[in-house]
Amino acid sequence: MRRMERAVTAADYERLAQEAAPERIARVRCVPRADLDKARGAENIDNQPADVSVVIMPRVSVETSRPRPDAALMQTVRNYLEPRRLLTTRLHVVG
């Protein structure tokens, strides 16, 4: 009963995304009401009530100099959040 397993607020999404791969994720930021997955410009990225975007910044290691998440890390976070999101929420995981 003490462990929170559902993503409802932005803070919930951030906490749960960090739990998905804590050794590989440096920071997580949730942007509610936005689809950053297909946003290419500043227009039409916000005020989408069903959309939630989770932005991942991976830990930087010696061999990788750019802090960009790979597809496997984003899929791991998506797979972890998917069963924990509200039914009507469209989830987007981006770097």
Side-chain angles (χ1 to χ4, degrees):
M1 293 295 260
R2 293 180 189 258
R3 184 158 164 80
M4 296 179 60
E5 286 290 322
R6 294 283 171 224
V8 178
T9 67
D12 294 341
Y13 277 98
E14 291 171 0
R15 182 183 46 77
L16 289 169
Q18 187 73 43
E19 285 179 10
E23 68 286 347
R24 295 187 59 203
I25 297 174
R27 296 187 73 182
V28 177
R29 195 60 64 209
C30 178
V31 184
R33 301 176 64 98
D35 178 0
L36 299 179
D37 204 11
K38 62 182 176 179
R40 297 294 177 244
E43 66 281 346
N44 298 326
I45 64 167
D46 59 352
N47 205 16
Q48 305 295 322
D51 292 314
V52 171
S53 291
V54 176
V55 183
I56 305 289
M57 187 174 111
R59 294 190 189 280
V60 179
S61 63
V62 175
E63 56 272 354
T64 60
S65 60
R66 293 176 32 165
R68 299 195 63 160
D70 59 1
L73 177 58
M74 290 192 295
Q75 190 62 44
T76 298
V77 172
R78 177 181 299 284
N79 290 344
Y80 190 78
L81 290 176
E82 193 64 35
R84 292 165 174 84
R85 68 175 175 80
L86 294 176
L87 184 62
T88 57
T89 302
R90 289 187 300 255
L91 177 64
H92 310 281
V93 179
V94 297

